[in-house]
Amino acid sequence: MTQTIVNPITGYTMTFLEATEEFFRFSETGQPDAPAPALHVHPLQEERFQVTRGTVAFVMNDQEVVCQPGEGVAVPAGVPHTFHNAGEGEFEMLGEYRPGLPEKSRRFHEVYFALARAGLTDVKGMPSLWQVAVEMPLFSDHVRLASPPWALQRALLALLRPIARLRGCKPYRLDPSVVC
C-alpha cells in the first residue's frame, strides 16, 4: 500500500503506510516555509500525530501545542485543528486516522496534492471554491473546513455546485480531466 505523493505548492510530502477500516496510517514531511493547512475538522475520525523529526506546532481550537521528536497529540473527531512547521528545518511526523475511512481519506489527499501538481490551486495550495463545491460531497465524511458551520457550508456548496458544473467543473480524476 505504500505510496508517496508530493504537493509542490505547500512543500508537503505524504506517504501512505497502511489503510484499513480501523485506521489509516501515513508519514508526512513539511518544509520550513510550508503553509499550514486550512483550519479543519474530521467529523468522524480522531487524528493522531507523532513527530519523528523537527518541530511541529499543532493548533487545536485556541490551544497551540509544540511537539519535538517523540512527542505527539491526539485530535478528537470534530475538533478544529491545523499544524505548521515550528522549526528551522524539515519536519517529519507519523499520522493516523481512526476509523480509517480508507477510500475517502486516501482520495482526499491524492486529489488535493494532484490539484496542486496540476497548477490548479492558489499559492497556499487551496483549490478554487468551484472545485471544492464539486469535491466536497466525496470528502465530507473525512474532512470539512472548521468554519462556517457545516450546515451553512453544505447549503452554500449545494447552491454553487450546479454553477460549478456549468463552468465545466467535475470531481478530479487522478488521470487527467477537466477541472476549474
Side-chain angles (χ1 to χ4, degrees):
M1 181 226 162
T2 303
Q3 174 192 359
T4 298
I5 56 176
V6 176
N7 185 322
I9 303 299
T10 63
Y12 291 109
T13 299
M14 179 176 270
T15 301
F16 303 129
L17 301 174
E18 191 173 2
T20 68
E21 291 301 322
E22 183 182 348
F23 55 79
F24 185 95
R25 291 189 178 132
F26 57 92
S27 156
E28 189 164 13
T29 62
Q31 301 300 313
D33 57 350
L39 191 65
H40 62 280
V41 299
H42 299 285
L44 306 175
Q45 297 167 294
E46 174 186 72
E47 188 171 21
R48 301 174 187 181
F49 298 99
Q50 182 174 4
V51 176
T52 57
R53 181 168 36 100
T55 305
V56 182
F58 297 93
V59 178
M60 297 171 284
N61 287 318
D62 295 330
Q63 178 185 11
E64 182 174 88
V65 177
V66 178
C67 295
Q68 304 290 332
E71 300 174 330
V73 297
V75 182
V79 171
H81 65 284
T82 188
F83 60 87
H84 65 274
N85 191 331
E88 295 181 13
E90 183 178 78
F91 75 78
E92 182 174 17
M93 62 184 174
L94 297 173
E96 180 178 276
Y97 300 114
R98 286 183 176 265
L101 302 179
E103 290 177 22
K104 293 180 187 229
S105 297
R106 182 182 183 111
R107 178 171 164 68
F108 168 77
H109 291 291
E110 286 179 329
V111 167
Y112 178 68
F113 280 43
L115 288 168
R117 287 192 307 274
L120 299 170
T121 63
D122 65 18
V123 296
K124 292 185 178 183
M126 290 297 294
S128 73
L129 182 60
W130 304 112
Q131 193 65 39
V132 171
V134 297
E135 297 290 353
M136 191 54 74
L138 303 171
F139 301 143
S140 63
D141 285 349
H142 169 68
V143 67
R144 302 171 183 168
L145 292 173
S147 66
W150 174 237
L152 183 58
Q153 284 182 61
R154 188 176 56 230
L156 176 62
L157 294 172
L159 290 171
L160 293 177
R161 196 168 299 115
I163 300 166
R165 288 187 181 124
L166 288 172
R167 292 174 53 110
C169 295
K170 56 185 172 182
Y172 192 82
R173 292 188 321 208
L174 294 170
D175 55 344
S177 65
V178 175
V179 293
C180 57

